[in-house]
Amino acid sequence: MSTATAAFQTLQGRLDLSFTHHRGKTRMMSCYQLPPLKAGRALYRDDDGAATVYLVDTSGGIASGDENRMTISASAGAKVHLIQQSSTKIYPARLAGEVSKQSLSFDIRGNSSLYWHPETTIPFAGSRFVQTIEIALDSSSTCYFAEIMSPGRLEHAESFQYESLDSKLSVVYEGRQIAYDRLRFQPDAEPQIGMLDDYYYGSAWFVSPDFDEAAATLQEACPVDRDCRFAVTSLDPLGFHARWLSRDLCLLKAHMDSFFQHISNS
């Protein structure tokens, strides 16, 4: 007797963008988009010619079996701000072994700057999420990449009720890996040390040849708040990794914005 298997439609989103400085401003030279991922047109909010692009997931979230892939390149003096328009929702797994996937790849060269401004990633109860982030840049370029991880849908009492979360990040500078970071949580497995309680977790990676503050100076320059823990670590040969923990999402975002403004204005 054959066993009927539920059939679910899966989405394979794709977004490939390239940016170059041309005729006084940063221009989006190519844009390949496959639903549900979509990029808005380049906006110019300041006089420095930087392009601001909003990124949209029209499906509202990543279901199990879905995979979103983004590849972003910046060259020839481009300056790009990429802004997630809404939070990334990770829906519950539907079939045994299925996961929700996302991969982000950045290539930044030729005196370019790329800034990734995040919204919150929210894993629902019963979800499985696998993410890979690869950042490559040369010695003339700047990258800022940030993300915010929620413990779950707190308004539905779903703190750490997802099945698994596995996120890997790599930073390659001048062909050499200078950072590798992995977050891997399985709340239903044996009790784990450092499960973050009900905290939102914020993380920012910043590499730039034009920023020469020491980690201790940067730590002191950022606001101190008993309701938002903060630490910064220097990378070798340059760059920083900043981390935040807070139960107040708005407060966390305010502190991350303050950090970004400081490194941008220094």
Side-chain angles (χ1 to χ4, degrees):
M1 177 183 294
S2 62
T3 302
T5 302
F8 295 101
Q9 180 184 10
T10 59
L11 299 176
Q12 307 297 309
R14 184 74 183 263
L15 190 60
D16 297 338
L17 307 176
S18 66
F19 298 89
T20 297
H21 187 268
H22 182 63
R23 294 184 178 178
K25 63 175 61 176
T26 296
R27 302 182 187 274
M28 187 190 300
M29 303 304 291
S30 64
C31 174
Y32 173 80
Q33 48 193 23
L34 187 65
L37 297 182
K38 183 178 180 181
R41 65 184 180 89
L43 304 175
Y44 301 95
R45 303 189 298 182
D46 298 311
D47 296 331
D48 61 357
T52 297
V53 177
Y54 286 86
L55 307 179
V56 182
D57 183 344
T58 59
S59 69
I62 309 176
S64 62
D66 291 355
E67 181 175 7
N68 284 344
R69 291 185 294 163
M70 301 186 199
T71 301
I72 316 293
S73 66
S75 62
K79 187 174 183 180
V80 187
H81 294 269
L82 299 175
I83 302 177
Q84 290 182 288
Q85 191 177 56
S86 61
S87 60
T88 300
K89 301 177 180 65
I90 312 301
Y91 293 127
R94 299 173 292 194
L95 300 174
E98 266 194 342
V99 298
S100 304
K101 295 182 180 180
Q102 177 167 271
S103 64
L104 309 173
S105 179
F106 305 95
D107 188 74
I108 312 155
R109 304 193 181 278
N111 196 33
S112 297
S113 302
L114 189 148
Y115 306 91
W116 176 277
H117 303 275
E119 268 299 336
T120 312
T121 298
I122 308 173
F124 285 30
S127 64
R128 308 185 195 105
F129 183 46
V130 175
Q131 176 175 250
T132 59
I133 303 159
E134 297 176 346
I135 301 170
L137 70 162
D138 65 14
S139 60
S140 67
S141 299
T142 294
C143 179
Y144 173 83
F145 176 85
E147 61 180 336
I148 302 171
M149 288 288 183
S150 169
R153 294 193 300 172
L154 299 185
E155 68 277 13
H156 291 80
E158 289 184 0
S159 179
F160 289 101
Q161 291 189 21
Y162 53 82
E163 289 192 21
S164 62
L165 185 153
D166 192 353
S167 179
K168 303 173 186 176
L169 179 144
S170 171
V171 180
V172 174
Y173 174 78
E174 283 290 327
R176 180 171 73 90
Q177 186 177 66
I178 63 171
Y180 177 80
D181 187 59
R182 186 178 187 183
L183 287 176
R184 186 172 184 269
F185 294 129
Q186 292 178 288
D188 289 339
E190 294 296 321
Q192 301 180 61
I193 297 175
M195 277 296 293
L196 308 181
D197 298 322
D198 292 329
Y199 286 93
Y200 291 91
Y201 172 69
S203 174
W205 300 84
F206 176 62
V207 179
S208 175
D210 302 320
F211 190 84
D212 57 4
E213 282 190 21
T217 305
L218 183 55
Q219 177 96 33
E220 293 174 357
C222 292
V224 176
D225 194 312
R226 59 177 295 179
D227 295 319
C228 187
R229 303 177 188 179
F230 169 70
V232 62
T233 304
S234 59
L235 306 178
D236 180 22
L238 80 166
F240 299 95
H241 180 208
R243 290 148 292 167
W244 295 263
L245 284 176
S246 179
R247 289 192 173 96
D248 186 327
L249 179 58
C250 292
L251 180 63
L252 173 66
K253 289 182 176 181
H255 278 256
M256 294 181 72
D257 286 344
S258 177
F259 176 83
F260 178 74
Q261 292 302 320
H262 178 80
I263 62 175
S264 298
N265 297 328
S266 297

